[in-house]
Amino acid sequence: MSEPDRPGAWDARSEDWLGTETDVQASQAPTGTTRGHTATTTRPTTARRTAADPVKALMHRHRELCERAVDPLEIAAGLEAHGITDRTAARFRHRDVFSLAEEMYARVARGDDTPPRPRPQPSPTSRASWALLTLLPGALCTATVIALRLTQGQTRLTVAATGTLAVALALRAALARGPLSTTTRTRTSSTWTYWLIAYALLGDGLLHAALAGGPDGLPDGTPDAPWSLTTAPVLALTLSCAPAAWIAHLFTTRARRKLTVSRGLADFAASVRPLLLATFTLFLGALTALVAACGAALNEPAPYAQTTTLGALLLLARLLTTHGFTHAPKVILTATATTQATALAMIFTARLPGCDALATPIQALTDTWGPGSIQSLTCGTGALILLLHTTRRLTRASAHAPREKPC
C-alpha cells in the first residue's frame, strides 16, 4: 500500500491519466535534429494504457487494497483514507468515490475457484461473552462497595485493595473484546484512564482536605473521615460499561448500514453525524440515570457534572481509539489528568514560604463552585474537544473500514 498522498496531487495525476490518444500520438512524432542527430521522443506503452484506462492505473497503485477487499465499501474507505474525494473520482469519469470503488472491485482479477474471503461475523456466543464481560466491572464494584460498608479496620483495607484490583482487571477484560476493543496498544491512555477514575474516587476529598490544611490521615471509607471518598461516581462509571458497549455496537452497525446506502462521501457524513450525536446523548442519559440511582442507594450526593463529563470523555476517547484514531485521545487524556494533578500540587506547594499565591486560583474556583469544579472543568473541556474531533473523524467512510479484531 502506498503512502497517502495529498488530494491536490491526486487531482493532477488523474488529469494526466485522462489524456487523449491524440496527445500520445503527437508525443511520438519525430522532432527536429539537434547537432546532426535526429531525436525521437517516444512515450512508453504503459503511458498509452494509463491514459486510455486511468482506473486500471489506480487499481495498480492500490493493488493490495483491491485484492484484499471483501466488498466495494472497503475499497471506498481505503481510497478516502488516501485522499481521494468525490471531486477526484469525477476525473475518473465517476460521480463519486463509491461508484469508482464498485468498478475497481468488479475488475479485480479473481479466479473462479478463489472467491473473495468472507468477512467473519460475530457469533451469538461471542456476542453474549462480551455482553457478560461488560457487566463484570459493575458487579465487582457493587460487591466491593457493599463489603466496605460491612467491614472495618484492617479488613476494610484488604477488601479495598482486593476490590480495586478485581475491578481494574474486569475493566481490562471488558475492553479487550466486543465493540470497545481495539487491536492497537493503548498503554499510555489506559494509565491516564485509571488516574481519572482514581481522581473521581479520591480527588475531591483530597482537594477539600488540602484546602482546609489537611489531610490528617488516609481515607478509611467512613463518612466522617478527614479524607472522604466519593464512591457514587466510580460505581456509576463501572455500571455504565454495559450501556457504553451496546451504544458503541449500535453506532458501528448503523454506520455500516448507512455506508451501504450512501452515494457519496458528503452524503455518508451527513447521515452519520446525527447518528453519532444521538448515540452520544443516549449514553449521557443512561449515565445520568445511573448516577442518580447510585447516589440514592449509597446515600451520597449525586455528582452529575463530574460523572457525566468524565464518562463522556472516556467514551469519546474509546470510540476514537476503537476506530483507529489514537493520537487525539492520548493527548487529551494526558492533558486532563496532568491538569488535575497540577491543581492538587499547587495547593500543597502553596504551603511553602512565599508561594501562597499559587493556591489563589484553585481556592477561588472551589469557593465558587465547590471542589468538584476542578474535575468538571477539566473533563468537560477535554470531552468537548474530543466531541468536535469525533464529529470530523468518525463521519468519514475510512473510519468504518473493516478491521481484524476480536469479537
Side-chain angles (χ1 to χ4, degrees):
M1 180 74 67
S2 60
E3 292 295 327
D5 295 333
R6 292 178 292 112
W10 278 103
D11 293 345
R13 192 177 297 120
S14 60
E15 285 181 350
D16 180 65
W17 288 342
L18 289 176
T20 61
E21 193 70 22
T22 304
D23 297 333
V24 178
Q25 294 175 357
S27 65
Q28 296 175 347
T31 63
T33 59
T34 304
R35 295 181 182 179
H37 297 280
T38 301
T40 302
T41 303
T42 304
R43 185 171 295 186
T45 306
T46 55
R48 181 186 300 112
R49 295 175 181 173
T50 298
D53 192 356
V55 177
K56 185 175 181 179
L58 185 63
M59 291 176 60
H60 178 74
R61 185 174 181 85
H62 297 281
R63 180 178 59 184
E64 182 181 350
L65 172 64
C66 295
E67 290 177 351
R68 67 176 173 82
V70 176
D71 51 35
L73 303 177
E74 190 170 346
I75 298 180
L79 293 178
E80 189 209 25
H82 282 78
I84 297 182
T85 63
D86 290 341
R87 180 185 176 188
T88 311
R91 300 183 182 275
F92 291 92
R93 301 166 186 156
H94 282 274
R95 64 182 179 273
D96 51 45
V97 175
F98 289 84
S99 176
L100 176 61
E102 288 174 352
E103 179 181 349
M104 294 174 65
Y105 180 78
R107 294 175 59 178
V108 173
R110 294 190 179 94
D112 296 337
D113 56 343
T114 57
R117 58 180 177 87
R119 179 180 294 125
Q121 298 294 333
S123 62
T125 303
S126 63
R127 181 174 297 179
S129 64
W130 65 252
L132 290 176
L133 284 176
T134 58
L135 295 173
L136 190 59
L140 290 177
C141 189
T142 301
T144 302
V145 171
I146 294 175
L148 288 175
R149 294 294 180 95
L150 299 177
T151 56
Q152 57 183 354
Q154 188 67 30
T155 305
R156 176 177 291 169
L157 295 178
T158 304
V159 168
T162 304
T164 301
L165 179 60
V167 172
L169 294 176
L171 282 172
R172 184 175 181 179
L175 297 178
R177 302 184 64 181
L180 296 177
S181 64
T182 177
T183 56
T184 59
R185 293 186 177 183
T186 56
R187 184 174 301 175
T188 303
S189 299
S190 300
T191 301
W192 294 122
T193 299
Y194 289 131
W195 162 269
L196 292 173
I197 296 176
Y199 187 92
L201 177 66
L202 303 168
D204 289 350
L206 176 59
L207 184 63
H208 180 75
L211 290 174
D216 299 327
L218 295 176
D220 55 8
T222 58
D224 55 348
W227 181 357
S228 61
L229 300 179
T230 51
T231 54
V234 177
L235 181 58
L237 288 171
T238 55
L239 290 173
S240 69
C241 286
W246 281 108
I247 287 172
H249 175 69
L250 174 66
F251 171 71
T252 302
T253 54
R254 292 293 179 87
R256 185 68 182 176
R257 292 177 186 174
K258 291 184 180 297
L259 190 61
T260 61
V261 299
S262 298
R263 298 312 310 168
L265 300 178
D267 183 23
F268 175 74
S271 62
V272 170
R273 190 172 291 107
L275 174 64
L276 174 62
L277 296 177
T279 53
F280 177 68
T281 304
L282 181 62
F283 171 76
L284 291 183
L287 182 57
T288 302
L290 288 173
V291 173
C294 293
L298 299 176
N299 196 23
E300 295 181 3
Y304 294 105
Q306 300 98 294
T307 310
T308 53
T309 53
L310 176 56
L313 175 63
L314 296 179
L315 176 68
L316 293 172
R318 194 63 191 183
L319 280 178
L320 286 169
T321 303
T322 300
H323 288 83
F325 304 100
T326 59
H327 179 69
K330 181 171 63 176
V331 171
I332 296 301
L333 290 177
T334 302
T336 303
T338 303
T339 304
Q340 293 179 354
T342 302
L344 291 174
M346 290 172 64
I347 297 299
F348 290 101
T349 306
R351 298 179 181 179
L352 298 176
C355 298
D356 299 344
L358 291 177
T360 302
I362 307 300
Q363 184 73 57
L365 191 62
T366 54
D367 289 343
T368 305
W369 290 297
S373 58
I374 300 295
Q375 184 180 11
S376 302
L377 184 61
T378 55
C379 292
T381 303
L384 180 59
I385 296 174
L386 282 188
L387 180 60
L388 296 176
H389 187 71
T390 302
T391 56
R392 293 178 59 252
R393 294 298 185 181
L394 297 191
T395 56
R396 299 174 57 186
S398 55
H400 303 277
R403 292 180 175 84
E404 297 294 337
K405 65 181 180 178
C407 297

